[in-house]
């Protein structure tokens, strides 16, 4: 099987199992996940599982990227901040939906940030902005964002992130220490209304 066939087979299985929106499905069929995983892991790129990417970090499983993209209900032109670039795969899926120039991503580890930036450029998502730094501070210079999501677990949404959300914007991420719950927050008249989307397992926010 070619990589395209393996990618389509994976997405077919995901679409059968989960209720995946059309835009998300199209993005998953397009982004070459095998280009984002370490070379030694290429053969596992189209299995639905997280994989190690160095620095004790992991690329999320494809179904988790799909679920998060769907919950966020991303539309073309949405301005998005991602906390935890990792290898850049999730950022590329987001960019496929909203447009690369609208995606900002902060990564704590310099080696990962640099590698993600170059992989994004090589795969056609070079306009995604990646910065190395502490994601808890967000990216003030580019605020406000329509959407902010975290790919690492915090005990609570960091206050600067909520402040950098536009009114009516949505923030999504795993909250909790031992037990993590994928939590969605929407700003309504300045306060955050929450909805839970079940138990998840992510690496911790540093
Ligand atoms: N979205 C990624 C998944 C990355 S795993 C992908 O598609 O590959 C979570 C990432 O969050 C790790 O790379 C980790 O280094 C990063 N991270 C942890 N704490 C952070 C912080 N305080 N600020 C920014 N990134 C952080």
């Amino acid at each position: 099987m070619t990589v395209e066939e393996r990618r389509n087979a994976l997405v077919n299985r995901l679409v059968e199992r989960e209720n995946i929106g059309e835009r998300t499905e199209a993005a998953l069929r397009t982004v070459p996940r095998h280009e984002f995983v370490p070379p030694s892991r290429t053969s596992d790129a189209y299995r639905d599982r997280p994989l190690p990417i160095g620095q004790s970090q992991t690329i999320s499983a494809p179904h988790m990227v799909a679920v998060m993209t769907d919950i966020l209900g991303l539309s073309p032109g949405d301005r998005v901040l991602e906390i935890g670039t990792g290898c850049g795969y999730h950022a590329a899926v987001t960019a496929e939906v909203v447009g690369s120039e609208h995606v900002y991503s902060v990564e704590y580890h310099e080696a990962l940030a640099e590698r993600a930036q170059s992989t994004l450029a090589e795969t056609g998502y070079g306009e995604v902005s990646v910065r190395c730094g502490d994601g808890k501070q967000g990216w003030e210079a580019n605020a406000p964002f329509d959407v902010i999501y975290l790919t690492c677990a915090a005990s609570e949404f960091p206050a600067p992130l909520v402040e950098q959300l536009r009114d009516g914007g949505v923030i999504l991420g795993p909250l909790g220490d031992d037990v993590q719950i994928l939590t969605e927050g929407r700003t309504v008249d300045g306060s955050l209304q929450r909805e839970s989307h079940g138990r998840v397992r992510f690496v911790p926010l540093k």
Side-chain angles (χ1 to χ4, degrees):
M1 274 210 272
T2 65
V3 281
E4 287 75 20
E5 285 167 345
R6 285 165 53 208
R7 183 159 65 246
N8 278 314
L10 166 69
V11 179
N12 291 345
R13 289 196 298 277
L14 293 180
V15 168
E16 271 171 33
R17 224 175 56 206
E18 329 245 356
N19 190 12
I20 294 178
E22 274 175 35
R23 283 185 180 134
T24 303
E25 179 183 341
L28 293 174
R29 289 197 192 278
T30 307
V31 179
R33 192 170 188 259
H34 66 282
E35 304 274 6
F36 288 85
V37 303
S40 62
R41 294 288 179 165
T42 309
S43 62
D44 288 331
Y46 295 111
R47 294 175 63 193
D48 187 23
R49 49 165 291 196
L51 293 171
I53 55 171
Q55 316 286 337
S56 309
Q57 304 304 322
T58 54
I59 174 176
S60 304
H63 78 266
M64 188 48 62
V65 174
V67 163
M68 290 179 70
T69 305
D70 268 356
I71 291 172
L72 292 169
L74 297 175
S75 305
D78 280 349
R79 198 173 173 82
V80 181
L81 175 65
E82 174 185 66
I83 307 304
T85 319
C87 68
Y89 172 72
H90 196 157
V93 171
T94 299
E96 195 54 45
V97 178
V98 304
S100 296
E101 68 275 31
H102 304 297
V103 181
Y104 299 82
S105 185
V106 185
E107 168 56 47
Y108 185 86
H109 287 285
E110 187 150 14
L112 292 178
E114 280 172 9
R115 202 186 315 143
Q117 183 89 78
S118 56
T119 310
L120 285 162
E122 285 159 16
T123 50
Y125 304 99
E127 285 188 72
V128 171
S129 304
V130 178
R131 174 171 82 80
C132 179
D134 180 4
K136 288 194 289 298
Q137 302 307 320
W139 198 334
E140 176 80 60
N142 295 297
F145 298 96
D146 299 303
V147 168
I148 299 178
Y149 66 87
L150 298 94
T151 68
C152 37
S155 42
E156 182 47 84
F157 291 128
L161 298 185
V162 178
E163 282 156 22
Q164 290 172 27
L165 209 51
R166 76 159 167 79
D167 194 35
V170 51
I171 184 166
L172 177 70
L175 294 189
D177 300 317
D178 294 336
V179 175
Q180 303 170 7
I181 305 288
L182 185 60
T183 308
E184 175 187 1
R186 266 175 209 276
T187 50
V188 180
D189 300 327
S191 75
L192 208 59
Q193 290 191 352
R194 287 150 194 276
E195 194 178 328
S196 296
H197 293 280
R199 271 186 81 154
V200 288
R201 193 143 191 87
F202 282 80
V203 297
L205 179 94
K206 291 183 196 296

